[in-house]
Amino acid sequence: GWKDAISTTIINFNNEKMQITWAARELFPGENVSFSYTFDEGKHKVWKPCPTYLLDQDYNSGCLFKTEGPTLAISIRNGNGSEQLFSKRLKSDFYIKPNRPENVTFFWKENTVTVSCNKPEKAVKCLRLELQYKSKFDKEWQSRTSKCCSVGEQGFDPRKCYSFRVRLKRLVPYCNVVNYSSDWEAETFWMNGTLLDSCDDDSIKSQPNTVIVLSCLLAVLLMILILLILLCKWQRLQKSVMPAVPDPKYIFADLFNDHNGNFQEWIDKTDHAVVQTKLEYEEPECIIEAESQQEDEKNSDKQGLQEKVFTFSGAAENNDLKSARIACLMPASNTIASFAGFQILMNDDMYVML
């Protein structure tokens, strides 16, 4: 009967690998036992030797092998395999230890935190998601368990920093005969919805400092932008109220370049050039016309133009010309013109023959 009382530890890792251990030195002192297993049922069982032994001071203390079915039979024998020391038949599905939760996400809204993870491919109904948390003012972990794969809790103070950890559990006794849970997911630290490196005072202070620095930087950039806008508007206002005085150096370039700023010399030459230009471009065109009916009809088309007529008598080069009219179409300005030995001074509304 003592063979059935041997204590063994059986773990089925997510229904992928089996691990069976025993107390080798206490149960079998001085003897290195062998292990074999089978997943076959019925009389024709095929026993397989242990592929990987677990050692305790060079003694076989356990075996690790692949999970191949729901029903498992194990056998422990002496070193040469001639005597069976222990045997057991069991359901491998009742010893499942789940893996850690995958893709864990935290959602913090006001004073409520919701934690969720990806659903496993198998046996979701047998799993529960456990959330544990505590602040630096709590001595022990607070626990909350819900169906896979989301759990929420209320009452979190946004001014406190909390440590969180989650794991998956198997239901007992409906799914497992042993209360197996997964390993804890990596511990995380949160404060008012913000992930921190830790809940140390330095880490908590660094977060507000970062916010303050960013806020100050944003304010400085905003002030610079406002100053640039005001500067542009001030320049426009200054131009409209006090227009810039043109520099005579650029307007009268010939005064400074050709005459070295000598105004009298520059104005003399400028007046001479202006008079020549007026004479050249404003010299009136005068037409001598004989009194005849045909010429009067031609001149009737020019009634809209400013016509100045001067009649003169005396000796002329042609004695047969009894009378003539001098018609000059000219702009209203001071101009001196010559015709047939006479000089005519024209000034706006008055013409003087010299």
Side-chain angles (χ1 to χ4, degrees):
W2 66 271
K3 295 181 180 179
D4 296 333
I6 291 178
S7 177
T8 58
T9 302
I10 304 169
I11 303 176
N12 184 359
F13 292 101
N14 202 41
N15 211 20
E16 298 172 357
K17 286 187 176 182
M18 297 290 303
Q19 175 181 293
I20 299 178
T21 58
W22 56 87
R25 291 186 300 169
E26 297 177 3
L27 298 175
F28 314 107
E31 185 174 4
N32 204 2
V33 298
S34 62
F35 179 88
S36 59
Y37 69 96
T38 181
F39 286 92
D40 298 330
E41 298 182 8
K43 296 180 180 180
H44 303 286
K45 296 180 181 179
V46 178
W47 293 89
K48 298 180 182 179
C50 178
T52 305
Y53 279 104
L54 304 177
L55 302 178
D56 182 11
Q57 296 183 0
D58 296 332
Y59 285 93
N60 295 336
S61 61
C63 182
L64 187 64
F65 54 95
K66 184 179 179 180
T67 304
E68 299 176 0
T71 303
L72 172 64
I74 61 176
S75 175
I76 298 177
R77 294 177 177 269
N78 57 4
N80 55 20
S82 59
E83 180 184 1
Q84 181 172 275
L85 304 178
F86 175 75
S87 64
K88 187 173 184 179
R89 187 171 178 270
L90 53 95
K91 292 288 186 180
S92 61
D93 292 345
F94 289 166
Y95 296 86
I96 293 178
K97 179 178 180 179
N99 288 339
R100 292 179 178 179
E102 298 179 353
N103 193 22
V104 179
T105 57
F106 286 79
F107 180 72
W108 188 307
K109 184 178 181 181
E110 297 179 353
N111 67 338
T112 302
V113 175
T114 303
V115 183
S116 59
C117 67
N118 290 347
K119 288 185 178 181
E121 296 180 357
K122 298 180 180 179
V124 178
K125 294 181 179 180
C126 292
L127 295 174
R128 294 293 182 268
L129 183 62
E130 181 181 7
L131 168 67
Q132 288 191 349
Y133 59 91
K134 68 175 181 179
S135 68
K136 66 178 184 178
F137 303 103
D138 300 325
K139 296 182 179 180
E140 297 181 355
W141 290 95
Q142 309 295 321
S143 183
R144 179 80 164 85
T145 304
S146 182
K147 293 182 179 181
C148 186
C149 293
S150 179
V151 58
E153 183 67 6
Q154 298 179 347
F156 290 95
D157 190 346
R159 297 169 297 179
K160 294 182 181 180
C161 178
Y162 291 88
S163 303
F164 291 93
R165 63 182 185 180
V166 292
R167 66 179 178 181
L168 290 173
K169 297 179 63 176
R170 288 275 294 186
L171 287 176
V172 178
Y174 304 103
C175 299
N176 264 29
V177 295
V178 182
N179 189 11
Y180 281 148
S181 301
S182 70
D183 296 334
W184 290 104
E185 182 61 19
E187 186 176 348
T188 57
F189 307 93
W190 294 79
M191 181 177 180
N192 195 20
T194 303
L195 179 64
L196 304 177
D197 295 333
S198 66
C199 283
D200 298 335
D201 293 337
D202 296 338
S203 178
I204 296 175
K205 290 179 181 179
S206 63
Q207 184 70 19
N209 291 338
T210 304
V211 175
I212 293 174
V213 171
L214 292 177
S215 301
C216 293
L217 182 60
L218 183 61
V220 170
L221 294 176
L222 184 61
M223 289 293 294
I224 293 175
L225 180 61
I226 294 175
L227 289 176
L228 290 176
I229 295 174
L230 292 177
L231 181 60
C232 293
K233 290 187 176 182
W234 169 251
Q235 290 179 349
R236 292 180 181 179
L237 179 63
Q238 189 177 18
K239 288 181 179 180
S240 61
V241 176
M242 296 179 293
V245 179
D247 191 348
K249 181 179 180 181
Y250 301 100
I251 300 177
F252 305 101
D254 53 346
L255 172 63
F256 294 94
N257 295 335
D258 300 339
H259 305 284
N260 296 325
N262 190 334
F263 181 79
Q264 187 61 41
E265 180 182 347
W266 173 77
I267 196 65
D268 291 342
K269 290 190 175 183
T270 302
D271 289 344
H272 180 68
V274 169
V275 169
Q276 289 183 348
T277 303
K278 287 184 177 182
L279 290 176
E280 181 178 356
Y281 290 99
E282 298 181 4
E283 183 175 356
E285 181 180 358
C286 300
I287 302 173
I288 301 175
E289 299 178 346
E291 289 183 345
S292 64
Q293 184 176 1
Q294 293 179 351
E295 295 297 329
D296 292 336
E297 292 177 356
K298 291 181 180 179
N299 291 332
S300 62
D301 296 333
K302 299 181 180 180
Q303 292 178 1
L305 299 176
Q306 182 180 8
E307 182 178 2
K308 311 296 180 178
V309 180
F310 298 88
T311 304
F312 63 93
S313 61
E317 293 179 0
N318 190 356
N319 294 328
D320 295 334
L321 182 63
K322 295 180 179 181
S323 63
R325 287 189 301 174
I326 302 175
C328 299
L329 305 178
M330 309 177 60
S333 59
N334 295 336
T335 308
I336 299 175
S338 62
F339 175 77
F342 294 95
Q343 289 185 341
I344 303 172
L345 174 62
M346 294 156 280
N347 182 10
D348 294 340
D349 300 328
M350 181 175 63
Y351 295 81
V352 180
M353 181 179 294
L354 301 177

